[in-house]
Amino acid sequence: MIFCDMVQKQEKGESAAASRRRGRPRAYDPEAALTRVMETFWKAGYAGTSLDDLAAATGMNRPSLYAAFGDKRALYLKALEHYWRMSARAMREVLREDRPLKDALDEFYVRAIAIYCGAPGRPPGCFSVSTAPTAAAEDEEIRIALAESVRRLDERLEALIRAAQQRGEIAAGADPAALATLATGALHTIAIRARAGVAAPELESIARKAVATMCSVG
């Protein structure tokens, strides 16, 4: 959806409120703007990113940025949700419950590693893992948002593993919730290693070992 700035040349009698909108860009795409916001936070972290940095990245002045998205904290929370939505779209088909567990998990990690290592112009690693834990230590709303995202991923992986268990792919006595936590933990350690500069082939080796461990429960 494209939002167009309807502010025209000020005419006699124009209200003061309308005149304040004149600094806003003529047109902008909120999804593209949020992507640029996300990438800016991704590079420097929450504390290291200023509103001036975000304004420069989006091409919007500070009043326009604030009017469109809110303050820095609101911008960061929106950027997190934007990242999680993109990730969920990318993984929706991968984590289908009718897929063999090993195939689904293998592709899950391969796609994640491609995000962590393969996007030109973006820092390595995972946006939320790289930036949210530090911010969450001082901000309750960010902490809650981060915890909710981890919970959603745990639940999605648990459903995948439980469906595989019902097909006999892993032992009937295995604990799908525990295996899902292990799968999420493997993803997070891969994200941290990617941020530390570990190359994709080594990360893929770690992922294969994690998948082999989870799928060998019998």
Side-chain angles (χ1 to χ4, degrees):
M1 179 179 179
I2 305 296
F3 288 81
C4 294
D5 184 0
M6 301 302 295
V7 178
Q8 304 296 326
K9 184 177 178 181
Q10 187 176 16
E11 296 178 352
K12 196 179 237 184
E14 184 183 34
S15 71
S19 144
R20 281 194 297 270
R21 293 196 298 269
R22 294 175 56 137
R24 196 171 172 180
R26 293 178 65 83
Y28 71 98
D29 179 340
E31 287 293 300
L34 276 177
T35 296
R36 290 190 287 271
V37 165
M38 177 189 73
E39 290 170 346
T40 305
F41 278 123
W42 204 334
K43 289 174 185 174
Y46 179 73
T49 301
S50 69
L51 274 175
D52 286 337
D53 295 330
L54 298 170
T58 58
M60 302 169 70
N61 61 33
R62 288 180 59 165
S64 300
L65 194 66
Y66 189 90
F69 298 109
D71 61 12
K72 174 181 162 179
R73 180 167 168 272
L75 267 164
Y76 179 71
L77 287 165
K78 287 181 172 69
L80 276 177
E81 284 297 331
H82 178 64
Y83 179 76
W84 290 328
R85 283 197 307 273
M86 290 194 308
S87 300
R89 285 197 298 268
M91 297 300 181
R92 189 171 294 122
E93 283 299 306
V94 175
L95 298 180
R96 288 197 335 265
E97 292 173 27
D98 60 343
R99 297 189 68 193
L101 180 61
K102 184 178 183 305
D103 291 352
L105 289 176
D106 279 340
E107 189 175 354
F108 172 65
Y109 290 114
V110 165
R111 290 202 183 193
I113 291 166
I115 293 170
Y116 299 163
C117 297
R122 286 184 184 171
C126 166
F127 172 52
S128 60
V129 171
S130 297
T131 63
T134 301
E138 298 183 355
D139 190 297
E140 180 72 4
E141 191 170 357
I142 293 173
R143 186 194 67 75
I144 291 169
L146 178 60
E148 175 63 15
S149 77
V150 173
R151 184 193 65 78
R152 288 196 302 260
L153 180 57
D154 283 347
E155 288 184 349
R156 187 70 201 86
L157 289 166
E158 181 180 349
L160 177 77
I161 294 165
R162 195 174 297 281
Q165 184 181 49
Q166 291 169 352
R167 292 193 299 269
E169 294 179 30
I170 59 173
D175 183 345
L179 289 172
T181 301
L182 178 62
T184 300
L187 181 71
H188 290 162
T189 195
I190 287 168
I192 291 168
R193 288 167 190 259
R195 186 73 166 185
V198 175
E202 187 174 342
L203 298 176
E204 289 164 1
S205 175
I206 293 168
R208 285 193 297 272
K209 291 171 185 175
V211 172
T213 299
M214 287 181 277
C215 292
S216 66
V217 175

